[in-house]
Each structure stands twice: as structure tokens, then as C-alpha cells.
Amino acid sequence: MPFEALLGAWVATGLTLFIFTFLYKDNPLFKLAEHLYVGVSVGYTIVKAYDTVVIRLIYEPMVVQGDWSLLIPLGIGTLMLARYAPKAAWMSRIAFAFIVGVGSGLAIPRVISSYILKQVEDTIRPLVSMAQGGALAFSTNILDPASNLNAVVLLVGVVSVLFYFFFSIEHTGPVRVAARTGIVFLMIAFGAAFGYTVMARMSLLIGRLTDLIEYADPGYGRPSLWLLLATITTLVVWSLRRRDEHPPEG
Amino acid sequence: MIFLRRQLPLLITFVTGLLFATQYYVPHPASERMLTEVTKWLQIIGGFALVLGVTSLFHLHAVKIRRKEPGWGYSFVLYAVMLGTIAVGLWVNGKETVNGTATAFGWIYSNVMVPLQGTMFAILAFFIASAAYRSFRARSREAAVLLLAAVVVMMGRVPLGEYLVPLSGDITQWILNVLNASVRRAIYIGVSLGAVALSLKIIFGIERAYLGGGKE
């Protein structure tokens, strides 16, 4: 087996176990892995940003293709750094004003089109369909998101949730009924989101455990077993030393 | 001077805001080119924002190391690893693979960053479960509905759940595609109305929080 793969298996296993030690309690091994994670992530982001922004978006178009108009965003970006000079800090407002102005301008028509009109259009669908021969039909297949029954449920859900968030009128009478229905829909959605998130995390957990099982193979030198032993020993020693330094009261 | 400090930023916001709001309704190649260009500009300016964020992190940990505060060794490790990753990344021009072979930068990504990230998010499964136990106890009808929906979705997404309750997969799909979609849609509509209102307030200078405080 190549040395890089072997070293990679030991490093990945060690770091995985160090993070898992947090399930016991906050400890130096976890803190070490946590700071390694922040350091590597920031380093990685900086390298990727350098490659994307400095090389591809600035250096190549400007120096290779001669597109000097990019001096404008460079100037605006540099103004941001004026925050480090208290007397010139106000200049950074110009950069923020540009970003916020462009962002707001871009957002208005696109948000109206994609998130308001499109959503309303998809909600207000025909509640009955036209069957062959001109007769009206009402499909009740709940597994088909496009069925008429689901169109009714969607409409009721959207309207009732909007009613729940509409505070300009008092929630009494029919409005109260609509708002209460909205709460039920919201609770179902929150529950579904929770269940979905838990299962996504479980999937990640299964991935990590699969790696640990794979790295228990003799071909890698059984890093999972040796490092698990080393981690547990370190935690026991750390706990005992801590108990000696801070004996429990009473 | 007050014009440069206060009114010029508001003027820039107003002009750029109106310009790019109207750009959407002008399907001319020049208009499309302008949008493409400004998107690149925003990416470039975003790079400078990253500099601001990273400098703040550098400063925070540098102070900890200089004052030898408790846990300063971890800050030192963070610095060393960060600088090491940057050096290795720049050495290979930010490439994770060359001719199908992983570079040292790719090795760091696969064997350090991915396991750390995956495990960090994986342990959240345990904390979510314990938080759920505390908060989900069916103390009201609404909490019971939430609990039931969560259980059904969790069961519907694993083979064991579908084996125990054969309908759970279908019900999960219905909950996600219809009930959840209706709520998401309503929330999108509400949030979007708020976003449009906020954007208009920013463009017309009513909302100025983004300019920050400090001297006028």
C-alpha cells in the first residue's frame, strides 16, 4: 500500500476519533481536532479564493487578456480594507454601498418573479381536471403531487400558513380557524425538517463509522483499533489528572 | 466632506439599485453583458471581504498567543496548520489532483478536512437526538403533531422503517412533497415580500444600518 494512503488512513482515523471524544466531554483531544479543523478549513478557503479570485478573475483577464476594467472592482474592494485605518474607515462605506445597492437591485425583480409569482402560480392550480369527453374529474391519488386532492391540500396549507403569519388582523373567528390550521401545517413541516436533518446526520455518521471499520483492516495496520486504544488511554489519564487537580467537592 | 461620508454611499446605493432592478426588464445583449460583468465584480469584491474576515481570525488568535492566554497552544496549532495548508495549496497552484493523482493539497482535503467536517456534523446527530428528547415530549397537540411527523419521516428514510411500517416511505414522500412544500411555499412568499420591502428601503435610503455607525 502507498505510504500516502497509509498515512491518510491513520490521520483520518485519529481525527475522527478525536472529534468523537466530545461525546464524553470537552477535552484536549477534541480541542486539538477542532482547531485543526478551523485551521485547515480557513487555509483551504484562502487557497481556493486565491485561485478563483486572484488568478482566474483578476490576473488572467487583466494581464493575459488586457481587460483593465477590472481595476474598478479592485479599487472598490481595496476601499473595504480602509476599515483598518480609523481616519479613512468611512471610505469602506462606498464599497458596502455598492455591494448592497447591486444586491438589492438584483434581488427585487428576481425575488418577485421566482419566489412570489412563481410560488403563487404553482399554488393556484385548477382544483378539478377535465376528463375525456368533457366531464369533470377529481383525482385523489395522494402519492401524485399533481393530483387534485394534493392541489387542494397545498392551497389550504399555503393560505392557512400565510394567515398564521398575518398579524394585521386579530386572530378571531374564521381567521383563528385558518391560523390554527396553519400551525398544524407548520408543525408537520418542522417535524419533517427535523426528521430529514437527523437522517442526514445519521448518514454522515454511518459514513464515518464505515471508514473506521475499513481502517480496522490489517492492510492499514489497524489504525482504528490502535488509535481507539490510545484515545481511550489519553482520556483516562486526562480525567485522572484532572480529578487530582480539581477534586470533587464534598 | 459630509457628502463623501454620508450622501455619496446613499447615492451609489440608489443608482446601482435602480440600475440593476431595471436591468432585469431590458433583454438586450449589452444589459446581459453588464450583469455578467458585475457578477464577476461582486466575486472580486467578495474576495476582499474574505480578507477582512481572515484578518479578524488572525488577530484574535495572535492576541491569544502573545498574551499566553489559557489554550494559546491550540491557537498556535491553528496558525501552523492554516499557514501550512496555504503554503501547500499555493505550491500546487490550488489543484487537488494533477493527471488523476492527488497532490499534497488534495491529500490534506481528503484525509484531514473531509473526516473532520464529516465527524463534526455527524456528532450533531447525538445532540439533536438528546435535544429532541427534551423538547419533543408531546406536551401539547402541536408538539404531538411535530413528533409524529418527525418519526414518520425518519422511519420512511431507512429500509428498516419501511420494513416495519410498509407505508412509511409513501407517507414520508407525501409529507415532504405536499405538506412540507405548502409550508415552504408560504414561508418563501412571506420572506420574499419582506426581502423586496427591505431592498426598496435600502435603495431609497430609508434603511441605512448597512453603513454602520461611527463618525458621520
Side-chain angles (χ1 to χ4, degrees), chain B residues 77-95:
Chain B
V77 168
L78 187 148
Y79 250 101
V81 170
M82 181 167 58
L83 295 176
T85 308
I86 293 171
V88 169
L90 293 182
W91 182 259
V92 295
N93 297 321
K95 290 187 174 53

Side-chain angles (χ1 to χ4, degrees), chain A residues 1-246:
Chain A
M1 184 168 297
F3 175 71
E4 313 90 78
L6 208 62
L7 184 65
W10 280 79
V11 170
T13 307
L15 295 176
T16 301
L17 291 171
F18 286 2
I19 297 282
F20 276 138
T21 58
F22 191 70
L23 295 174
Y24 166 59
K25 66 165 77 160
D26 198 8
N27 65 80
L29 293 178
F30 173 76
K31 279 186 188 148
L32 178 70
E34 185 190 26
H35 283 77
L36 276 170
Y37 175 44
V38 176
V40 170
S41 301
V42 173
Y44 184 84
T45 310
I46 290 173
V47 172
K48 283 290 165 191
Y50 173 80
D51 186 47
T52 313
V53 178
V54 179
I55 301 296
R56 285 167 212 257
L57 288 174
I58 301 174
Y59 178 78
E60 285 176 3
M62 257 171 61
V63 179
V64 181
Q65 297 157 23
D67 180 6
W68 295 98
S69 69
L70 293 174
L71 282 173
I72 300 170
L74 265 178
I76 295 173
T78 311
L79 287 179
M80 265 192 181
L81 305 181
R83 288 189 87 83
Y84 293 119
K87 283 192 176 172
W90 61 271
M91 290 170 82
S92 66
R93 287 178 175 179
I94 293 172
F96 289 119
F98 180 80
I99 296 171
V100 172
V102 173
S104 303
L106 289 176
I108 293 172
R110 285 161 184 82
V111 166
I112 291 175
S113 166
S114 310
Y115 289 105
I116 300 178
L117 298 181
K118 187 80 180 76
Q119 301 295 336
V120 171
E121 183 192 333
D122 284 350
T123 304
I124 307 174
R125 289 201 315 238
L127 299 180
V128 287
S129 325
M130 196 70 87
Q132 279 186 342
L136 290 178
F138 186 85
S139 54
T140 55
N141 180 9
I142 66 160
L143 295 178
D144 174 17
S147 72
N148 297 122
L149 179 63
N150 281 336
V152 174
V153 175
L154 267 166
L155 181 65
V156 171
V158 172
V159 172
S160 61
V161 171
L162 284 174
F163 259 111
Y164 174 70
F165 285 113
F166 191 62
F167 301 114
S168 299
I169 49 170
E170 203 178 338
H171 287 188
T172 51
V175 178
R176 182 181 149 80
V177 175
R180 298 291 299 176
T181 312
I183 292 177
V184 174
F185 271 89
L186 278 167
M187 289 298 146
I188 293 172
F190 291 154
F194 176 83
Y196 199 84
T197 308
V198 168
M199 294 324 282
R201 302 283 185 237
M202 281 294 168
S203 164
L204 281 172
L205 182 64
I206 291 166
R208 297 315 310 141
L209 294 179
T210 308
D211 275 3
L212 287 182
I213 292 167
E214 190 191 331
Y215 294 147
D217 190 82
Y220 290 102
R222 297 190 187 281
S224 296
L225 301 180
W226 291 116
L227 290 173
L228 180 65
L229 202 66
T231 306
I232 292 172
T233 311
T234 311
L235 280 181
V236 169
V237 171
W238 173 74
S239 294
L240 290 174
R241 280 184 62 180
R242 206 156 168 263
R243 198 187 293 169
D244 292 342
E245 285 167 16
H246 311 282

Side-chain angles (χ1 to χ4, degrees), chain B residues 94-165:
Chain B
K95 290 187 174 53
E96 282 148 28
T97 52
V98 175
N99 299 326
T101 311
T103 60
F105 190 54
W107 186 91
I108 291 176
Y109 179 77
S110 308
N111 296 299
V112 181
M113 203 167 139
V114 169
L116 282 170
Q117 199 166 35
T119 320
M120 198 64 96
F121 284 107
I123 59 168
L124 286 179
F126 295 98
F127 297 112
I128 288 178
S130 76
Y133 174 73
R134 284 194 293 268
S135 59
F136 272 18
R137 276 173 296 175
R139 279 175 292 200
S140 65
R141 214 179 309 160
E142 287 82 12
V145 171
L146 193 145
L147 177 67
L148 188 69
V151 170
V152 169
V153 170
M154 280 191 268
M155 288 189 83
R157 297 196 61 81
V158 285
L160 179 67
E162 279 204 271
Y163 175 74
L164 294 172
V165 185

